[in-house]
Amino acid sequence: GYEDPGSQASSTVTGGWVFVESEDDFTNRNTSFVMLESDRAGVPMTDAPVQIIARCDGNGGNEIFVVAGGYIGARNDRIPVRYRFGDDPPINENWNESTNGTAAFLPRGYADFRTGLDTLQDFIFEITDYRGSRYSAAFEGVGVNADMLEYVLGGCS
């Protein structure tokens, strides 16, 4: 088996959504996801946002969360976040904490971030950790491979 080295490189292109096909082992439902790295990905010893992931929840919906480079924790189970799409005004929200304290989940019913993603504009995302320290990163290439993002935001059905 000869494998074209170019085929692997295409899955690690920076500045665009990377699609990973996945299925729940027990229900056989679609749990595929897309991920986009920030300009802080690969930087050692940072608590800045390094990746955004949108995944199908297996029930025709989706989950969106931002992963930090380290432990961010939360006060009162909520993580203060701030984001800005393109030249729009920044939006402050409190997102849900992941069980391991390294990611912030977009709560159900919070439409602003989802609406921003739909515009396919690049954005800045900031997380405030449990100590009150702020870390931000830029997410660029939001419009690259956007059909994969739209597939996941549509619930992967």
Side-chain angles (χ1 to χ4, degrees), residues 48-125:
V50 294
Q51 196 174 62
I52 180 172
I53 297 175
R55 69 179 174 204
C56 305
D57 65 7
N59 295 313
N62 58 67
E63 294 179 308
I64 297 172
F65 56 99
V66 174
V67 180
Y71 180 77
I72 49 176
R75 295 181 183 166
N76 306 324
D77 296 326
R78 292 295 197 134
I79 296 175
V81 303
R82 183 168 62 158
Y83 54 87
R84 187 186 73 191
F85 284 90
D87 294 327
D88 296 344
I91 294 175
N92 294 288
E93 292 178 339
N94 290 306
W95 286 20
N96 297 325
E97 178 186 14
S98 66
T99 53
N100 63 5
T102 61
F105 277 78
L106 174 67
R108 299 229 181 268
Y110 280 44
D112 289 338
F113 188 79
R114 171 76 189 268
T115 301
L117 274 182
D118 288 341
T119 68
L120 303 179
Q121 294 181 84
D122 292 346
F123 63 94
I124 304 290
F125 197 93

Side-chain angles (χ1 to χ4, degrees), residues 11-85:
S11 66
T12 57
V13 170
T14 56
W17 295 98
V18 176
F19 178 78
V20 178
E21 195 165 3
S22 177
E23 187 177 86
D24 184 286
D25 291 336
F26 293 97
T27 65
N28 295 336
R29 292 190 175 178
N30 195 337
T31 54
S32 299
F33 62 93
V34 289
M35 57 188 171
L36 180 68
E37 291 189 334
S38 79
D39 63 347
R40 306 295 294 161
V43 174
M45 307 283 289
T46 183
D47 290 339
V50 294
Q51 196 174 62
I52 180 172
I53 297 175
R55 69 179 174 204
C56 305
D57 65 7
N59 295 313
N62 58 67
E63 294 179 308
I64 297 172
F65 56 99
V66 174
V67 180
Y71 180 77
I72 49 176
R75 295 181 183 166
N76 306 324
D77 296 326
R78 292 295 197 134
I79 296 175
V81 303
R82 183 168 62 158
Y83 54 87
R84 187 186 73 191
F85 284 90

